Amino acid sequence: MATPLVGLYPGSFDPITNGHTDVIKRAAKICDRLVVGVAINTGKDPMFTIEERVEIVKEEILAHGHGIEAKVEVLAFRGLLMHYAREVGARIIVRGLRAVTDFDYEFQMTGMNARLDPDIETVFLMASEKHQFISSRLVKEVGILGGDVRPFVSSRVAEHLVKRIAEREAARGE
Ligand code: PNS
């Protein structure tokens, strides 16, 4: 019997968008097991804690149904992605690719990761047309500036975002 194909889909997921969920669903069709790796150290100042980001991703997967939750596991990771990929037995890293602007960053990261561990391939899933322009960073910006984030994230994530933005504003006395 062929070895099961384990994929690792890493990211900051701060928070998970409809684009991420689409990649998870599609990657789950390709892999026998998919680990969604939520990076503890993002190099950015995340809006949600690592526990919250993991929990919100789990909520999304359960809400989507289609039985993908049987194949998909959501775990936090720290340190080098390629070390973690080995740890979970991943043979492929899955990344979503949107507009050409993603290319340079992804190209550098893939090249570096291939040097670190040439046995693990990075595969890209092109973002579906309606998700081309969604990014967690822009969704947060839209939310902070009072725009409607519901076209880009699920209603659950939108609620988490609105709540967090209000908490942050209250803490700053705005
Ligand atoms: O969703 P993001 O922010 O684009 O995801 C970036 C992520 C988490 C995949 C990337 O920063 C990463 O792999 N971090 C782990 C640390 C690491 O391995 N860095 C070297 C990358 S070449």
Side-chain angles (χ1 to χ4, degrees):
M1 211 173 82
T3 337
L5 179 62
V6 180
L8 172 60
Y9 178 39
S12 306
F13 302 103
D14 185 45
I16 184 169
T17 66
N18 291 343
H20 292 129
T21 308
D22 183 50
V23 171
I24 293 173
K25 279 193 290 185
R26 289 159 59 201
K29 282 194 216 155
I30 300 168
C31 302
D32 297 303
R33 176 172 167 248
L34 181 72
V35 175
V36 179
V38 185
I40 294 176
N41 306 107
T42 61
K44 305 163 196 166
D45 176 23
M47 180 171 266
F48 295 94
T49 65
I50 182 62
E51 291 81 13
E52 289 169 335
R53 284 181 280 135
V54 167
E55 208 40 53
I56 298 171
V57 174
K58 283 185 180 168
E59 270 175 28
E60 286 305 280
I61 291 168
L62 277 178
H64 267 276
H66 308 295
I68 59 164
E69 68 278 9
K71 279 189 169 186
V72 182
E73 199 175 355
V74 186
L75 297 167
F77 79 98
R78 78 165 75 243
L80 268 186
L81 175 67
M82 298 316 269
H83 289 171
Y84 187 62
R86 279 270 162 196
E87 204 179 305
V88 296
R91 272 200 288 145
I92 58 168
I93 303 289
V94 178
R95 292 285 288 171
L97 199 60
R98 293 165 303 188
V100 279
T101 44
D102 276 347
F103 185 79
D104 193 42
Y105 171 60
E106 296 296 335
F107 182 71
Q108 284 189 31
M109 205 157 67
T110 304
M112 190 74 107
N113 285 337
R115 292 289 286 272
L116 291 170
D117 195 331
D119 293 332
I120 300 175
E121 291 291 342
T122 300
V123 303
F124 291 95
L125 296 182
M126 295 295 288
S128 318
E129 192 220 334
K130 64 178 180 185
H131 300 128
Q132 275 290 336
F133 302 102
I134 307 178
S135 75
S136 299
R137 184 177 64 82
L138 287 181
V139 168
K140 282 183 284 191
E141 192 170 316
V142 168
I144 289 167
L145 298 174
D148 184 7
V149 294
R150 284 171 304 176
F152 319 117
V153 296
S154 72
S155 52
R156 290 165 303 278
V157 175
E159 269 177 43
H160 288 297
L161 258 173
V162 167
K163 188 163 165 269
R164 180 51 43 88
I165 291 166
E167 284 165 2
R168 281 160 60 121
E169 282 173 2
R172 278 202 228 97
E174 284 170 21

